[in-house]
Amino acid sequence: MRTVNLDYNATTPLDDGVREAMMPFLSGVFGNPSSVHHMGQRARAALDEARERVAAVLKANPSEIIFTSGATESCNHAILGAARLRSEKGRHIVTSAIEHHAVLHSCEYLENKENFEVSVVLPDANGRISPDSVREVIRTDTILVSLMAANNEVGTIQPVAEIGEFCANNCILFHTDAVQAFGKLSFDEISQFRADFVSLCAHKFHGPKGVGILYARSPLQPPPLIHGGAHENARRAGTENLPAIIGMAEAIERFVPNPVFPGDSLLEQTTDLLDWLDSLDGVTPRGHRTERLPNTVAFSVVGADSISLLANLDIEGICASSGSACSSGSITPSHVLSAMGVPSAEANSLIRLSLGRKTSAADLHHLRTVLPFILQSSQSRE
Ligand code: PLP
C-alpha cells in the first residue's frame, strides 16, 4: 500500500542535510556544555554558535533566544512567565478560542490556580480574529495578549502584527504562537510579528522533534518554568539537547528565510482541492479562503464523523488529521470549528489535509479517487 502523507501540519520528516549536521553531536561531540574541560568547552562553543546562527536568521540578539523542548514548553513559558512578570501591574489576560491547547491550557491554569482573569476572543466564521474584537476586551489591568500567527487546524492566518502594534502602544505584553507560520509563510525578521514573545518548534519545518525556541524580546526576562542549574542564562534549567539544537539551527537557516513549503505550487494545489471539495455533496470547506496557510485545507462533512473518515482514509494509505481529540472511540468536536460557530454535529467531522514539499500530483489524484467513496460510505452509516 502506498503512503500518502497529507499531515504535514502535525510534523515533517527530518531533512537529510539536517540529519547530517546533527550526526557529529550524536557521537563524537558529546560533552556537556556546562563542563569546564575541553570536551565540554567544545560542546559549549557549538551551542553558542547555534544560538548565533538562529539569532542571525531571526535578526534577533542571541541573548533573546531561549532553547526549549518544543513549542508546548515555549508557549507555557511565555504565558506563565509574562503573567508572573507583570502580575503587580494587573491580572487580566486575553487570548482567542482557536489557540492550540498549549496556550489555552496555560491560560486556564493561570485563571484556576493563580487568580488571573482570562478573556477569550471568538473568531469570525472563517476562523479569523479581528483586531477590534481584541481591542474591545482590553482593560486597564490587561497585561498580556496571546494570539497565534496561523491556525493549525483550518490554516487561517491572523493579523498578529496589527494586534502586536496595538499591544505595544498600550504597554501590554504580546505573545504569538508562530509554530505553523515558520517555513510556510515568508519571513524577514522576528520583529515582523510585533511580539515580545514568539514560540516556535523545529519539527514543523523538517528539523528534529523535541526542540524549540522561545524568543523573548530584550530586556524581558520571563522567570523560569523549570528550576535547577543556570542554563540558558538562568531562564531554563537542564543540560541542553545539543544534537537537536544543532539540527534546529540548520533547519532554520535552510528552511525559514526561503520557506521549505513551496507556497506558490501548494496554493495552486490546495485551491484546486478546495474548489473540488466545495462541489461534493455535504462537504463544507472551513477556514479563510485567501488568508490561509498555502498548504492547508480543512473541511467538514454533514452526517459523518472524523474517526470513521480518518480510519477509511488510512485504509487507503492516506494520512490526514482531525482537529478533534479522538481517544478510546469517542470524539470531541474541534474547539476551533466550534468557536467558528459550526454546530457540534459538523464540528465532529473536521478533516485537515496539510500538504508538503513531497506532495505529488499522484498523491492528490489518489485522494480524489477514493474520497467520494469514503464520504458516501461514512454518510450512509449515519
Ligand atoms: N502550537 C501550534 C499552533 C501547534 O500546531 C503545535 C503542534 O502541533 C504546538 C503549538 C505544540 O508543538 P509541540 O507539540 O511540538 O510542542
Side-chain angles (χ1 to χ4, degrees):
M1 180 178 72
R2 63 181 288 173
T3 293
V4 174
N5 175 17
L6 295 178
D7 200 13
Y8 279 82
N9 283 9
T11 196
T12 57
L14 190 65
D15 176 74
D16 289 344
V18 171
R19 183 185 301 109
E20 237 168 79
M22 292 169 68
M23 286 314 278
F25 300 89
L26 289 163
S27 51
V29 189
F30 65 89
N32 184 326
S34 298
S35 300
V36 292
H37 50 65
H38 70 275
M39 282 195 327
Q41 290 316 295
R42 194 165 165 208
R44 162 66 53 194
L47 179 67
D48 290 346
E49 191 191 306
R51 199 184 309 280
E52 277 159 24
R53 289 168 66 193
V54 167
V57 175
L58 302 189
K59 299 198 181 75
N61 194 305
S63 68
E64 296 176 314
I65 308 298
I66 306 173
F67 292 130
T68 66
S69 67
T72 299
E73 183 187 327
S74 299
C75 292
N76 273 258
H77 195 173
I79 291 166
L80 272 66
R84 291 167 183 167
L85 202 59
R86 287 289 161 90
S87 60
E88 301 284 285
K89 191 181 161 245
R91 304 190 79 82
H92 181 236
I93 296 167
V94 177
T95 191
S96 88
I98 57 164
E99 300 298 308
H100 190 273
H101 286 125
V103 166
L104 286 175
H105 290 171
S106 295
C107 291
E108 276 169 28
Y109 176 85
L110 285 170
E111 190 162 51
N112 295 334
K113 303 283 183 192
E114 297 191 16
N115 229 12
F116 286 86
E117 241 185 285
V118 180
S119 295
V120 180
V121 169
L122 290 174
D124 65 17
N126 297 318
R128 204 161 147 89
I129 305 292
S130 85
D132 279 344
S133 67
V134 174
R135 283 186 203 109
E136 274 163 23
V137 296
I138 294 297
R139 313 188 317 206
T140 50
D141 62 340
T142 306
I143 50 165
L144 173 67
V145 172
S146 182
L147 182 66
M148 69 201 325
N151 182 263
N152 47 309
E153 291 191 13
V154 296
T156 303
I157 296 170
Q158 306 300 332
V160 282
E162 190 180 337
I163 292 168
E165 188 74 35
F166 166 78
C167 290
N169 292 338
N170 288 277
C171 299
I172 297 164
L173 294 176
F174 181 56
H175 165 246
T176 188
D177 168 358
V179 165
Q180 294 290 345
F182 279 90
K184 296 194 180 98
L185 299 176
S186 67
F187 178 84
D188 295 319
E189 54 190 5
I190 200 80
S191 65
Q192 75 191 43
F193 297 113
R194 302 283 187 277
D196 299 293
F197 301 103
V198 180
S199 296
L200 68 106
C201 62
H203 72 100
K204 305 289 187 184
F205 49 89
H206 300 281
K209 294 176 179 55
V211 65
I213 286 172
L214 172 60
Y215 161 84
R217 190 178 58 75
S218 178
L220 294 166
Q221 295 293 355
L225 280 191
I226 298 175
H227 301 276
H231 310 83
E232 297 298 300
N233 248 333
R235 293 171 299 185
R236 199 268 184 190
T239 302
E240 300 85 354
N241 183 354
L242 193 55
I245 289 169
I246 300 293
M248 178 163 62
E250 187 73 26
I252 285 178
E253 275 181 348
R254 283 171 182 252
F255 301 135
V256 168
N258 297 309
V260 63
F261 285 76
D264 289 347
S265 65
L266 287 173
L267 200 58
E268 206 173 302
Q269 284 170 316
T270 54
T271 304
D272 282 355
L273 209 47
L274 282 165
D275 289 342
W276 175 69
L277 286 164
D278 226 354
S279 72
L280 300 178
D281 247 8
V283 173
T284 311
R286 299 292 179 183
H288 203 285
R289 207 51 188 247
T290 52
E291 292 298 313
R292 66 179 169 85
L293 295 172
N295 76 319
T296 304
V297 163
F299 61 96
S300 59
V301 183
V302 174
D305 67 69
S306 305
I307 288 187
S308 60
L309 292 168
L310 288 177
N312 285 321
L313 284 165
D314 197 29
I315 289 168
E316 298 295 342
I318 298 171
C319 302
S321 164
S322 80
S324 320
C326 306
S327 60
S328 48
S330 70
I331 337 163
T332 320
S334 154
H335 71 281
V336 175
L337 286 201
S338 298
M340 286 160 61
V342 178
S344 65
E346 260 188 88
N348 270 342
S349 68
L350 175 67
I351 296 295
R352 176 189 73 191
L353 307 171
S354 46
L355 287 56
R357 64 174 170 175
K358 293 265 171 70
T359 305
S360 65
D363 289 340
L364 298 177
H365 178 74
H366 181 53
L367 173 78
R368 285 183 186 228
T369 308
V370 301
L371 187 60
F373 296 103
I374 291 175
L375 291 175
Q376 227 172 26
S377 72
S378 302
Q379 287 170 302
S380 61
R381 234 184 291 127
E382 288 294 308

